[in-house]
Amino acid sequence: MKYKLLCLVLIFPYLIYANSKENKNADKYPATEEGLKFSPDQLILPGVLLSLGIYGTLDNNIDKNIQKQIAKWDGNTIADDILVFLPGASVYLLDWCGIPSKHNLLDKTVITVSSAILTVGSSFILKSVTSVERPDGSNNHSFPSMHTAIAFAGAELIRQEYGDLSVWYGIGGYTIASGVGFLRMYNNKHWLSDVLAGAGLGILSTKSAYWLYPSIRKLYKNKNQEHLSLLPYGSSSELGVRISFRF
């Protein structure tokens, strides 16, 4: 239970900022059918990160030198397993606390699920193809870091949905995601190249989800979106969100 409470504590700064802006921005974002228009410059950051990650697998001297220094700290924490979902969850928590996101609940969920499928699916494929051994030697599924990919996918989601309200939403999300990447190295589970590639993959997956969103929305745009609802719940043994949709 203490780790679930930690999640709530970590999200608290988001909630404070959300409540402070509620009256000012309550009507700023109506429901929208727009996704993210593709432009080549959107590929620069994820492209650079992925390229650096791939280069690191080909010449792993830098990875080994960095990991040798980090291994001296003898890290052992489960914080990365908790923080990995915080950026993505924040998009719903902020909305629940009164700060509407750029897209309504159903549309945002479609984008989030699309991003998750792209992130996890591509990570599994790359892990199978590359077969890079982890720093601790536990298996050959090191490249890329899926934890880092999921965290950065969520961070980019925050930036897209709330970046126009304040740049600090995106900065907060990317800071947490960067922390997840570092903790994967701290726990001796990933090389630096794994983390860099995971970050690029996560960002690219979320951007791709926004590019695909207008086409996906055509499949359900005439449905009544008011029938979708999310209700957070918690107890001494579990914490989660109930999702319901009436056809």
Side-chain angles (χ1 to χ4, degrees):
M1 183 61 184
K2 63 181 179 180
Y3 299 117
K4 296 172 184 177
L5 292 176
L6 176 62
C7 290
L8 296 178
V9 171
L10 290 170
I11 196 62
F12 192 64
Y14 278 120
L15 304 185
I16 293 176
Y17 188 82
N19 286 324
S20 69
K21 295 291 185 178
E22 180 175 358
N23 293 333
K24 181 178 179 180
N25 297 306
D27 299 321
K28 182 169 182 177
Y29 288 142
T32 175
E33 297 185 17
E34 294 182 1
L36 178 65
K37 293 183 179 179
F38 173 81
S39 63
D41 61 334
Q42 295 169 10
L43 298 174
I44 295 176
L45 178 58
V48 169
L49 291 171
L50 281 166
S51 297
L52 290 174
I54 293 172
Y55 176 78
T57 64
L58 301 177
D59 181 5
N60 61 359
N61 289 326
I62 296 178
D63 275 347
K64 289 181 177 179
N65 290 333
I66 292 176
Q67 200 62 32
K68 185 183 298 184
Q69 298 302 316
I70 295 178
K72 294 179 180 179
W73 300 339
D74 193 24
N76 183 19
T77 176
I78 66 169
D80 48 342
D81 292 328
I82 299 172
L83 294 174
V84 62
F85 300 110
L86 184 57
S90 299
V91 177
Y92 290 95
L93 288 171
L94 288 169
D95 213 351
W96 181 54
C97 290
I99 301 298
S101 52
K102 184 176 295 185
H103 294 85
N104 60 40
L105 182 58
L106 178 57
D107 294 342
K108 180 171 59 180
T109 300
V110 169
I111 294 171
T112 301
V113 171
S114 299
S115 173
I117 292 173
L118 292 170
T119 301
V120 175
S122 56
S123 294
F124 270 121
I125 292 173
L126 286 174
K127 284 177 180 292
S128 299
V129 172
T130 57
S131 297
V132 176
E133 185 178 21
R134 292 184 186 273
D136 63 359
S138 58
N139 59 50
N140 293 331
H141 299 149
S142 189
F143 183 89
S145 168
M146 187 180 296
H147 277 69
T148 306
I150 292 172
F152 272 89
E156 178 63 14
L157 189 66
I158 291 176
R159 193 184 73 82
Q160 293 293 337
E161 292 295 321
Y162 290 98
D164 291 343
L165 286 178
S166 171
V167 68
W168 289 103
Y169 286 109
I171 292 175
Y174 269 82
T175 299
I176 293 172
S178 299
V180 171
F182 172 77
L183 289 175
R184 296 305 286 165
M185 297 172 61
Y186 176 75
N187 283 336
N188 205 31
K189 290 296 183 181
H190 283 289
W191 309 100
L192 175 61
S193 58
D194 304 334
V195 170
L196 292 174
L201 188 64
I203 295 171
L204 182 60
S205 294
T206 293
K207 288 184 180 294
S208 298
Y210 277 95
W211 296 333
L212 294 171
Y213 157 71
S215 298
I216 298 175
R217 194 181 193 280
K218 294 177 181 179
L219 302 175
Y220 65 88
K221 65 180 181 179
N222 294 324
K223 302 293 183 181
N224 188 348
Q225 298 181 25
E226 294 180 355
H227 287 174
L228 178 71
S229 63
L230 272 71
L231 180 64
Y233 71 91
S235 68
S236 59
S237 61
E238 59 181 355
L239 184 69
V241 178
R242 291 190 178 93
I243 304 175
S244 63
F245 185 79
R246 290 182 296 152
F247 294 93

